[in-house]
């Protein structure tokens, strides 16, 4: 594996070149403490020292609103002249500055939208293959718990990975695509063994600084939570929850969507588009009748924990959560994902021994 | 338009969400609420479905709705859909007739296990519009009547006017190998048949639990619980009972999350589940 060293000036030149020659999505500062992944016009906007973005970099691969089809219904409803064609976006881009937890989340989306089924999602896979991904090392805050879900040192999914060392970055080349991207940097320095050691030490320090922990891990975690279907903790959590859907909207592993037809002003043509949906919304599981299979807020709250830590955990082999802390950080009601899990786990262990 | 019919499993189909433009070649009202359509795919290609599977019907501007196929696979060149007018897309569909084009994706899901019914008595339990999709099963049986033993149809609707196929039910009842019992919740003055929910028909039917396979689609979730309890009490083994669940399948291909019931996605793992499977699905009924 090749390593190189990039100094601040070379990084700035490299980013400028990437923005000039192609599309780049990277974190930018949106407020005093908030950051977001944005398409970059001015490379000086890129803010690589961030803790977490509001929305995860998932938005590059699976945007909040995404066209699936362009349709024409010229001649009216039912007319012979109707047509539809899929919208597949294969334009290449660079996704720059992705933290290890978010790399792990992209791996989970690759599975859920691609490998999990006999029918992979063409829109997701096109955007995914069009991406060159540059990962970057981070330091946790009190919402992070990547060490509990095994995502702390994820490199898979990245083509290049950057670790800050003494005001410069050690760049780790992970794929040929990453190698080609790195060649666009104006000046690369040779990375010494000392810098490689410092880069490795970063990972250890990060793990030490990650103090928030899940009380159980996969696969045991699924059995513990599954044993507490009737737990009052979900009811108590529901009493605080507003069903606003913020937790799922900011989640890097959530992939539920709804589909809407948007007509243009002529009413003769339009776009069938999907948008993020949330299992926390009251009407998510409504069917004709009408009947709502998760009409109680507590049912929806429980569904969120069960889906990530029981159902998908058992299918995928790991919790469907990367420990990024976005949901707890963004929650209107200050509900902590970790607190709920740990309370349920404690209850499960108590009821097993007692 | 979609190339899904030609794409092998696992390959990336750019038209995964693209409907084929199909033609309505026949349409008639069964009740003021329910209309049946005969639909042809381009080139009169067979849909290739199994009884119990569904398609996504599409009208541009009105998204899609999952509709069960109600004709048997043996019907070549076209297939039938029975649609209740519930507003939105279904209201638009009710305004359509022969010559109109609609979008079709599918078929999706797993159907009823026809193989396990061969050589057995088949008990059909239908509530309301549930009889329509179950006709894909009954009509399959009639295509090969000798492969199955007795056919028992228990059907409950709200009023006599809601009975979907009255003449067809009478024709079935005329065959001594069949037993057809119909009940209504709200009788009219001239109604001489049974009154009450569909479960009140169980004691009246001649059911041999050891040799009977049940398929059921009974409408509101509470009815599933009653039917399941009743079937258990007459001694039918759970692995011989199959229920088709109604959920809001949005994508049909296991992605969108809307039809998730516990660890199952109804669109790909169902919509047909055995009672054994339902036992582990708290949210199912």
């Amino acid at each position: 594996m090749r390593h190189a060293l990039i100094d601040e000036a070379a990084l700035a030149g490299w980013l400028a070149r990437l923005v000039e020659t192609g599309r780049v999505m990277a974190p930018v500062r949106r407020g005093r403490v908030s950051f977001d992944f944005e398409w970059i016009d001015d490379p000086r906007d890129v803010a690589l020292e961030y803790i977490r973005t509001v929305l995860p970099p998932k938005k590059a691969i699976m945007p909040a609103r995404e066209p699936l089809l362009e349709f024409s219904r010229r001649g009216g409803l039912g007319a012979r002249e109707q047509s539809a064609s899929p919208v597949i976006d294969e334009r290449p881009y660079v996704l720059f500055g992705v933290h290890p937890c978010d790399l792990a989340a992209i791996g989970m989306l690759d599975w859920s939208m691609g490998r999990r089924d006999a029918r992979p999602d063409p829109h997701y896979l096109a955007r995914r293959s069009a991406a060159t991904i540059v990962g970057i090392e981070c330091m946790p805050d009190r919402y992070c718990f990547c060490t509990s879900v095994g995502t702390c040192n994820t490199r898979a999914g990245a083509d290049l990975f950057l670790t800050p060392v003494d005001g410069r970055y050690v760049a780790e080349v992970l794929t040929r695509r990453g190698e080609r991207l790195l060649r666009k940097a104006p000046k690369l320095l040779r990375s010494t063994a000392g810098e490689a050691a410092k880069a490795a030490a970063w990972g250890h320090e990060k793990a030490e600084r990650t103090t928030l922990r899940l009380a159980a891990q996969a696969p045991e975690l699924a059995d513990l939570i599954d044993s507490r279907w009737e737990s009052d903790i979900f009811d108590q959590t529901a009493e605080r929850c507003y069903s606003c859907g913020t937790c799922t909207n900011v989640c890097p592993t959530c992939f539920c969507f709804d589909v809407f037809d948007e007509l243009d002003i002529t009413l003769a043509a339009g776009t069938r588009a999907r948008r993020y949906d949330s299992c926390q919304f009251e009407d998510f599981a409504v069917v004709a009748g009408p009947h709502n299979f998760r009409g109680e807020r507590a049912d929806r709250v429980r569904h969120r924990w069960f889906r990530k830590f029981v159902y998908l955990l058992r299918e995928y082999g790991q919790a469907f959560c990367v420990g990024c802390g976005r949901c707890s950080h963004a929650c209107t009601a200050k509900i902590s994902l970790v607190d709920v899990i740990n309370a349920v786990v404690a209850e499960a262990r108590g009821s097993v021994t007692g | 338009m979609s190339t899904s019919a030609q794409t092998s499993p696992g390959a990336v189909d750019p038209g995964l969400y693209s409907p084929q433009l199909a033609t309505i070649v026949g349409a008639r009202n069964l009740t003021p609420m329910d209309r049946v359509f005969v639909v042809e795919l381009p080139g009169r290609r067979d849909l290739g479905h199994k009884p119990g599977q569904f398609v996504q019907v599409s009208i541009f501007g009105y998204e899609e709705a999952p509709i069960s196929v109600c004709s048997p696979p043996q019907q070549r060149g076209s297939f039938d859909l029975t649609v209740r007018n519930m507003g939105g897309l279904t209201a638009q569909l009710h305004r359509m007739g022969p010559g109109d084009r609609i979008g079709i994706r599918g078929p999706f899901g797993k159907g009823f296990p026809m193989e396990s019914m061969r050589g057995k008595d088949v008990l059909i339990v239908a509530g309301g519009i549930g009889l329509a999709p179950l006709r894909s099963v009954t009509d399959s049986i009639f295509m090969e009547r000798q492969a199955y033993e007795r056919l028992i149809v228990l059907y409950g609707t709200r009023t006599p006017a809601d009975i979907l196929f009255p003449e067809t039910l009478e024709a079935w009842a005329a065959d001594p190998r069949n037993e057809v019992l119909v009940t209504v919740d709200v009788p009219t003055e001239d109604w001489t048949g049974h009154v009450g929910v569909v479960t009140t028909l169980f004691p009246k039917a001649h059911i041999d639990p050891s040799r009977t396979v049940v398929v059921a689609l009974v409408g509101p979730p509470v009815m599933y619980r009653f039917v399941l309890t009743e079937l258990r009490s007459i001694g039918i083994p759970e692995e011989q009972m199959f229920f088709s669940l109604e959920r809001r399948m949005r994508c049909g291909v296991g992605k969108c999350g809307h039809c998730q019931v516990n660890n199952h996605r109804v669109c790909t793992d169902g919509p047909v589940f055995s009672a054994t499977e339902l036992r582990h699905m708290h949210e199912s009924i």
Side-chain angles (χ1 to χ4, degrees), chain A residues 68-69 71 73 77-80 82-84 86 88 112-113 116-123 125 229 255-261 272 274 277 283-284 286-289 291 293-294 303 307 311, chain B residues 1 9-19 21 58-64 86 92 96 99-101 107-108 221 246-248 250-251 253-258 260 262-263 265 282-284:
Chain A
L68 299 176
L69 308 172
F71 61 80
R73 49 178 211 175
L77 290 188
R80 177 197 295 270
Q82 295 174 95
S83 64
I88 306 280
S112 57
M113 299 302 277
R116 184 185 185 201
D117 282 294
R119 294 168 185 269
D121 190 282
H123 307 273
L125 291 181
W229 177 263
F255 54 91
C256 287
F257 59 85
D258 205 349
V259 178
F260 299 91
D261 285 358
R272 180 162 290 170
R274 69 172 158 211
D277 203 351
D283 63 355
F284 188 79
V286 167
V287 295
H291 181 79
F293 286 92
R294 281 189 289 273
H303 181 70
R307 182 153 150 112
Y311 311 144
Chain B
M1 292 272 141
V12 182
D13 172 11
L16 185 67
Y17 300 108
S18 303
L21 208 56
S58 176
I59 297 178
F60 297 132
Y62 293 86
E63 291 101 24
E64 293 182 307
M86 302 295 289
Q92 292 305 320
M96 291 188 173
D100 283 326
R101 303 296 204 282
F108 296 124
E246 187 192 10
R247 287 297 185 278
R248 190 177 152 222
R250 215 57 176 126
C251 72
V253 290
K255 308 278 189 288
C256 78
H258 281 273
Q260 175 129 5
N262 298 108
N263 56 329
R265 294 166 288 166
H282 307 277
E283 297 175 327
S284 59

Side-chain angles (χ1 to χ4, degrees), chain A residues 275-286:
Chain A
R275 300 184 208 152
Y276 294 171
D277 203 351
S278 174
C279 61
Q280 299 306 298
F281 291 157
E282 190 172 6
D283 63 355
F284 188 79
V286 167

Side-chain angles (χ1 to χ4, degrees), chain A residues 23 39 59-63 65-67 87-91 93 122-132 274:
Chain A
R23 299 191 306 147
W39 293 109
K59 70 190 266 191
I61 311 170
M62 191 176 172
R65 177 204 170 271
E66 172 179 27
V87 181
I88 306 280
D89 189 350
E90 294 175 310
R91 291 172 296 160
Y93 63 96
H123 307 273
Y124 177 88
L125 291 181
R127 280 202 173 81
R128 178 67 180 88
S129 350
T132 303
R274 69 172 158 211

